[in-house]
Amino acid sequence: MSFSEALFPLFFLLFFIPIFYARNLQQYCSSSSSCGDIKNISYPFRLQGDPVGCGDPSFQLSCQDNTTILNFRGGKYYVKGISYDQRTIRIVDVNLANGSCALPYKSLSMDEATDDSRFPSLINFWQANFVNCSNSIPDLANRKAHCLSGNNYYVYLNFSNRNLFAYEIPKTCKVISRIPMSSENEVNYPYETTLKLLSSGFDLRWSVECKDCRAADLPCVYKSNSDPRIFQCENVEYDYETQLQIVTAFLVSFRVIDFALFVRFTFVPLVVFAFLLHKCLTRQKGVDAENFLPQSESPKQVPIPHFMERST
């Protein structure tokens, strides 16, 4: 058994067992909470101010003016209902709850709504896009939000099952806000009908299991495709052999780099220095040898006797 395999059970004991133990404590409260129309607020949800150990702090709600509120992704939402059987919660943006003409309290796309470990999925994947245009668009006249428009700008509502692509938006327009909705089709209703749909809110699926998976840095997937949707951690088989090969290659590459750096900045300069030193010493020896040899005397001229001279 490798060192990593031996550590996995220890990781399980240190991480998941404390979570399981804490979760059991959170489920046993003397009584449930309530706020306004939302009765029996119980695990995993809790109200702010509930006794410690009741509910999961990650699913905390607040009660303001006898209305249950969820602070979610920087936005503020009224809670319209919680289903513990289906594991869903219906919420509505506070600015749209009364069917009034307004922009959402905070823009929230479907992607942003589901990028949360507590609420990993929507029930209906549709959203309303608030589009601001500098020119009037006659074809969208019945979807114009008159209360949001002015003399030089026009706000329209558009439904989509995803974020709009740039080429789908006129050049004189831009999306200024988004909000998920409970509509099950892409029909672009008149603005007055859209206000009623927006005031009904949208449903999120909640999951304690998915929150724990994300906390353990594990993927969260559906356990089944039937309702209620239960989530679980995806079983990721750890390929120890592949990981060992990667680590080995990583270490070898560093050894090669270290060797190359040693040769470049240490060995090569030493070789060059030795060569220059050898050349310098060799030249010096040659000079010393020349200085050591005796200087040869110039040949002297021998006088020639007169009798040997030629007569002219």
Side-chain angles (χ1 to χ4, degrees):
M1 179 183 291
S2 68
F3 179 71
S4 299
E5 289 175 313
L7 282 180
F8 182 77
L10 180 61
F11 168 77
F12 180 85
L13 291 172
L14 293 177
F15 187 84
F16 282 101
I17 287 183
I19 290 177
F20 177 78
Y21 179 71
R23 185 183 300 172
N24 284 340
L25 289 178
Q26 292 166 352
Q27 293 186 45
Y28 295 104
C29 289
S30 58
S31 61
S32 60
S33 302
S34 63
C35 176
D37 295 333
I38 307 302
K39 312 297 182 182
N40 190 31
I41 298 174
S42 54
Y43 182 85
F45 295 95
R46 70 187 305 273
L47 276 182
Q48 186 177 6
D50 279 352
V52 176
C54 290
D56 189 321
S58 299
F59 291 85
Q60 180 166 284
L61 308 172
S62 61
C63 188
Q64 300 177 16
D65 298 327
N66 211 30
T67 303
T68 307
I69 291 178
L70 170 68
N71 292 304
F72 175 62
R73 307 292 294 176
K76 192 174 181 181
Y77 300 87
Y78 293 141
V79 178
K80 296 180 70 68
I82 302 174
S83 172
Y84 294 93
D85 294 330
Q86 298 299 317
R87 297 193 175 195
T88 61
I89 180 172
R90 172 161 286 212
I91 58 177
V92 58
D93 185 282
V94 294
N95 286 359
L96 306 174
N98 297 324
S100 56
C101 177
L103 287 174
Y105 180 88
K106 185 180 183 299
S107 178
L108 180 72
S109 68
M110 293 184 297
D111 292 339
E112 293 169 331
T114 55
D115 187 24
D116 191 291
S117 60
R118 303 166 299 167
F119 306 103
S121 178
L122 291 159
I123 298 295
N124 298 312
F125 285 86
W126 295 99
Q127 71 183 23
N129 305 292
F130 292 77
V131 183
N132 188 357
C133 302
S134 58
N135 296 326
S136 176
I137 303 178
D139 293 341
L140 302 179
N142 66 331
R143 283 175 263 164
K144 178 181 175 182
H146 295 280
C147 65
L148 301 176
S149 302
N151 295 328
N152 300 319
Y153 59 93
Y154 309 85
V155 177
Y156 302 95
L157 258 72
N158 166 273
F159 290 178
S160 67
N161 60 357
R162 53 173 170 73
N163 290 338
L164 296 176
F165 295 116
Y167 69 83
E168 296 177 302
I169 306 172
K171 294 182 178 180
T172 59
C173 304
K174 65 178 180 179
V175 177
I176 57 175
S177 190
R178 304 179 179 92
I179 194 73
M181 56 187 308
S182 58
S183 175
E184 296 183 358
N185 55 65
E186 200 174 355
V187 175
N188 283 287
Y189 301 101
Y191 181 66
E192 289 73 18
T193 304
T194 302
L195 287 179
K196 295 180 182 179
L197 287 173
L198 294 177
S199 66
S200 65
F202 58 94
D203 295 292
L204 288 169
R205 300 185 191 276
W206 53 264
S207 172
V208 179
E209 297 79 10
C210 195
K211 179 183 72 71
D212 294 343
C213 293
R214 300 278 181 87
D217 199 24
L218 293 173
C220 180
V221 296
Y222 283 127
K223 186 175 182 179
S224 66
N225 290 324
S226 58
D227 289 328
R229 301 292 179 90
I230 307 298
F231 292 85
Q232 66 179 4
C233 299
E234 184 177 16
N235 294 324
V236 179
E237 295 184 0
Y238 195 83
D239 191 345
Y240 295 98
E241 184 176 352
T242 301
Q243 294 300 319
L244 180 60
Q245 293 174 356
I246 293 174
V247 172
T248 303
F250 179 76
L251 293 176
V252 169
S253 66
F254 263 87
R255 294 295 299 228
V256 171
I257 293 173
D258 288 343
F259 180 74
L261 291 175
F262 171 78
V263 171
R264 170 66 178 83
F265 294 103
T266 304
F267 183 73
V268 171
L270 286 175
V271 171
V272 173
F273 175 76
F275 173 75
L276 294 176
L277 181 62
H278 173 73
K279 189 174 181 180
C280 181
L281 292 176
T282 302
R283 180 179 298 175
Q284 185 65 33
K285 285 181 179 180
V287 173
D288 292 342
E290 291 177 0
N291 293 334
F292 177 77
L293 292 175
Q295 297 292 332
S296 58
E297 297 180 358
S298 328
K300 295 181 179 180
Q301 187 175 3
V302 179
I304 300 174
H306 292 288
F307 66 86
M308 294 183 66
E309 292 181 359
R310 267 181 164 172
S311 55
T312 54

